[in-house]
Amino acid sequence: MSIPNLHCFDPFADEAKGDYLLPSGTEDFIHIRIQQRNGRKTLTTVQGIAEEYDKKKLVKAFKKKFACNGTVIEHKEYGEVIQLQGDQRRNICQFLVEIGIANEDQMKVHGF
């Protein structure tokens, strides 16, 4: 017995190709995490920003705007990861939306 509709056209297949996706090079979300260091000290990490953006320039802008120190770390599994001192999760979300790198629904904030 053969069912003719089994291999039909999916009208929603192209729905994922809208303009709400991240720029080329990223198929995931931008992950913003916080890590506890010692005592009250924290570290904020940002991963998943597209390769077309210069992460060193982004770190320079973050440092100037948020008055904190930061660097770009090369991680063998995640690629280039931005590290900032302090809890900058909310600030980073607002900044990335302001400059147009990502929308609110493209970022995932992790921690506490």
Side-chain angles (χ1 to χ4, degrees):
M1 182 160 107
S2 172
I3 302 174
N5 276 344
L6 192 57
H7 300 287
C8 67
F9 174 72
D10 184 10
F12 300 105
D14 293 338
E15 184 62 29
K17 297 179 183 173
D19 20 353
Y20 59 86
L21 290 177
L22 292 173
S24 64
T26 59
E27 55 279 323
D28 245 344
F29 291 94
I30 294 177
H31 295 278
I32 303 169
R33 295 183 173 89
I34 188 166
Q35 297 174 349
Q36 188 74 33
R37 285 180 38 215
N38 48 2
R40 295 174 48 200
K41 308 289 184 182
T42 57
L43 190 69
T44 304
T45 59
V46 182
Q47 88 181 54
I49 295 178
E51 295 294 323
E52 63 191 44
Y53 296 107
D54 187 8
K55 301 201 181 35
K56 292 189 187 263
K57 287 186 179 180
L58 279 172
V59 167
K60 190 173 181 180
F62 289 154
K63 288 166 64 172
K64 194 169 191 175
K65 179 135 180 145
F66 309 144
C68 67
N69 199 7
T71 186
V72 178
I73 302 293
E74 184 64 39
H75 193 274
K76 56 186 165 190
E77 185 179 345
Y78 302 123
E80 289 183 325
V81 177
I82 297 174
Q83 286 186 343
L84 297 170
Q85 286 182 347
D87 186 3
Q88 307 295 338
R89 292 174 294 174
R90 223 179 270 153
N91 296 335
I92 291 172
C93 286
Q94 291 172 353
F95 186 77
L96 292 177
V97 169
E98 281 176 17
I99 62 175
I101 289 182
N103 296 332
E104 286 285 334
D105 56 342
Q106 296 169 332
M107 292 182 274
K108 288 195 175 185
V109 180
H110 305 277
F112 307 140

